[in-house]
Amino acid sequence: MVMDQSVVSGIKSTLRGELYTSPEIFELEKKNIFQKSWLFVGYEYQVAEAGQYITTKVEGENILITRGKDNVLRAFLNVCRHRGATLCSEPSGKAGILVCPYHSWSYGLDGSLAGVPKSSECREHLVNNDTYGLEKVHLQTWHGMIWLNFSEDPQPLAEQINNQILERFGELDTIARYQIEDLRVAHTKEYVVKANWKIIVENFQECYHCSAIHPELTAALPEFRSGVGTQNSVGLGATFNDEIEAFSISGKGTRPMLKGLLPEDDRIYYGMTIVPHVFINLTPDHVITHRIVPIDQDTSIVICDWLFDPEEIAKPDFDPMDAVEMFHRVNEQDFAACQWCHENMGSKAYKNGGILVPIENHVSKFYNYVLESIDMKGV
Ligand code: FES
Ligand SMILES: [Fe+2]
């Protein structure tokens, strides 16, 4: 059975159905892709002050991210070293010391074990021993976004991201101009999608479907009707329809361009994928991020954030919903389509995969990335 991006009579195939339905393949992807890659989990501004913390769940692990008294950002497994209770259950908070709710062991914001009540015989040994501090997780930031990596000795985050940025934009400056580090999330939506994470990525990477399922998007960005668009051309973005003022469902917009943008960024939409699990969408007055959290081979959660300039958010008449509704509809249309496909990945009809037409051939790069990662290229 050929699982590579084989060319049979000039036609490329998609991945075969089993790649989307097999629990074993999903485990391999977790081990070789998600456990080894930098994963986007939140924003630095959410943990800006010493003592602030946020919690999240990544790769089945409860995670705690703290800003220490020394102002250093750190990530830990949010698991007490005594009997394994979740140390911090709130999504966010501020504390000088973190106390486990079960038997009151306490930890510093740097993860060190600080106190072990009623254990005079072994307290000194436990507290003065790094071994019993919270388990560390690698953390790095990029444009104000926090990324974690579960591997023992990960490559630098910039190595994972910069090559992808260069392939999309030909330079690092374009995305830097949007100054994501200075923006704030004004709205978040979470979608539970009954589809394998790869279907969501490949859907985002092609616009062959845009004219069929995205009436609002193609009205705003007419070139998307062609199914090609500029999203796969290095450095190019899609130009707004002349009739609209902003990337919003009504087409109306009153916000100024984000600080740092150049005149040529006006009336342009850029989309890009950062494999394995992030999409970034740049518009003149807001940025939208998507992160896929794979739950199992059949289920993914997609968290979508809409970010704006905090000066705009602070205005009494600020209302993000016109902008939010635009990509929310796109998301619902996309995720419905992903589900149409996922439910048939186990069908005999898809045993050997489907067909990639030339207009979407670029998706085969993602297929090859997955196959190489799980060591199944050419199998
Ligand atoms: S489980 Fe945390 S103190 Fe016992
Ligand atoms: Fe789409």
Side-chain angles (χ1 to χ4, degrees):
M1 182 60 63
V2 175
M3 296 181 75
D4 193 2
Q5 279 311 290
S6 57
V7 181
V8 181
S9 311
I11 294 174
K12 284 190 180 184
S13 61
T14 64
L15 300 181
R16 62 184 184 132
E18 187 193 8
L19 270 285
Y20 302 92
T21 59
S22 156
E24 290 77 27
I25 297 285
F26 183 75
E27 284 309 310
L28 256 182
E29 290 169 344
K30 279 173 77 77
K31 181 164 159 269
N32 291 1
I33 296 177
F34 286 91
Q35 294 278 330
K36 287 185 180 165
S37 301
W38 287 97
L39 304 173
F40 165 48
V41 296
Y43 302 89
E44 222 176 331
Y45 79 83
Q46 295 167 326
V47 223
E49 292 168 27
Q52 276 189 309
Y53 67 83
I54 53 173
T55 61
T56 186
K57 192 155 185 159
V58 188
E59 280 296 286
E61 291 278 12
N62 283 321
I63 299 290
L64 171 67
I65 297 169
T66 65
R67 174 80 66 181
K69 288 181 183 147
D70 53 3
N71 252 326
V72 175
L73 205 53
R74 297 179 177 88
F76 307 100
L77 300 184
N78 188 8
V79 180
C80 179
R81 298 302 303 275
H82 175 222
R83 292 262 293 282
T86 301
L87 182 59
C88 298
S89 297
E90 297 299 321
S92 63
K94 192 167 184 185
I97 199 125
L98 304 164
V99 182
C100 178
Y102 198 178
H103 312 90
S104 302
W105 281 31
S106 57
Y107 299 86
L109 294 159
D110 61 357
S112 59
L113 183 59
V116 180
K118 303 184 187 73
S119 303
S120 48
E121 318 78 43
C122 61
R123 183 189 295 135
E124 284 310 306
H125 171 70
L126 291 170
V127 167
N128 296 318
N129 192 331
D130 285 350
T131 320
Y132 304 107
L134 297 175
E135 195 83 35
K136 288 192 176 70
V137 179
H138 294 285
L139 177 154
Q140 287 190 16
T141 59
W142 177 81
H143 291 306
M145 298 163 75
I146 300 173
W147 303 67
L148 304 183
N149 193 307
F150 289 100
S151 62
E152 273 180 25
D153 188 19
Q155 60 166 337
L157 171 63
E159 266 177 42
Q160 177 182 313
I161 295 183
N162 286 355
N163 282 345
Q164 300 189 59
I165 300 287
L166 289 172
E167 279 177 21
R168 173 66 185 90
F169 293 106
E171 56 172 29
L172 300 176
D173 284 356
T174 314
I175 200 161
R177 289 200 294 274
Y178 288 77
Q179 300 178 357
I180 298 173
E181 61 276 20
D182 292 334
L183 306 184
R184 300 291 178 263
V185 176
H187 195 86
T188 297
K189 285 193 189 297
E190 212 171 290
Y191 304 85
V192 178
V193 187
K194 292 303 288 177
N196 183 275
W197 69 277
K198 299 191 291 301
I199 292 182
I200 299 170
V201 175
E202 58 200 62
N203 170 77
F204 189 81
Q205 293 196 323
E206 54 90 359
C207 204
Y208 187 32
H209 67 270
C210 289
S211 58
I213 71 169
H214 294 317
E216 301 88 355
L217 183 66
T218 51
L221 307 172
E223 65 168 62
F224 278 13
R225 290 194 190 112
S226 71
V228 189
T230 45
Q231 302 305 301
N232 302 304
S233 305
V234 178
L236 297 183
T239 304
F240 289 4
N241 182 339
D242 288 343
E243 313 287 305
I244 65 167
E245 297 166 352
F247 193 69
S248 63
I249 204 71
S250 70
K252 294 193 172 26
T254 50
R255 282 179 287 271
M257 288 219 288
L258 296 172
K259 298 180 186 86
L261 295 192
L262 298 172
E264 58 259 40
D265 299 318
D266 198 8
R267 306 185 60 75
I268 298 285
Y269 161 89
Y270 295 102
M272 81 160 293
T273 309
I274 300 179
V275 293
H277 79 135
V278 174
F279 311 144
I280 295 185
N281 308 269
L282 307 171
T283 84
D285 71 329
H286 65 284
V287 168
I288 305 154
T289 64
H290 294 78
R291 72 193 105 143
I292 306 171
V293 182
I295 303 301
D296 59 29
Q297 67 277 6
D298 304 312
T299 315
S300 308
I301 290 174
V302 182
I303 301 167
C304 186
D305 294 324
W306 283 261
L307 298 107
F308 295 81
D309 183 333
E311 282 179 21
E312 293 301 313
I313 295 174
K315 291 182 178 170
D317 59 348
F318 173 75
D319 182 0
M321 296 317 288
D322 197 19
V324 167
E325 184 62 18
M326 171 60 107
F327 227 103
H328 173 55
R329 287 200 197 173
V330 174
N331 285 339
E332 291 201 311
Q333 292 153 355
D334 277 330
F335 301 151
C338 291
Q339 294 182 167
W340 297 336
C341 296
H342 185 82
E343 65 183 11
N344 296 308
M345 289 298 101
S347 162
K348 277 185 198 157
Y350 214 75
K351 192 164 176 286
N352 296 321
I355 293 158
L356 263 187
V357 295
I359 204 171
E360 49 182 2
N361 268 351
H362 53 274
V363 180
S364 59
K365 194 168 165 222
F366 172 65
Y367 292 151
N368 286 333
Y369 157 78
V370 171
L371 293 172
E372 274 166 22
S373 300
I374 61 174
D375 218 10
M376 293 191 84
K377 193 145 194 278
V379 173

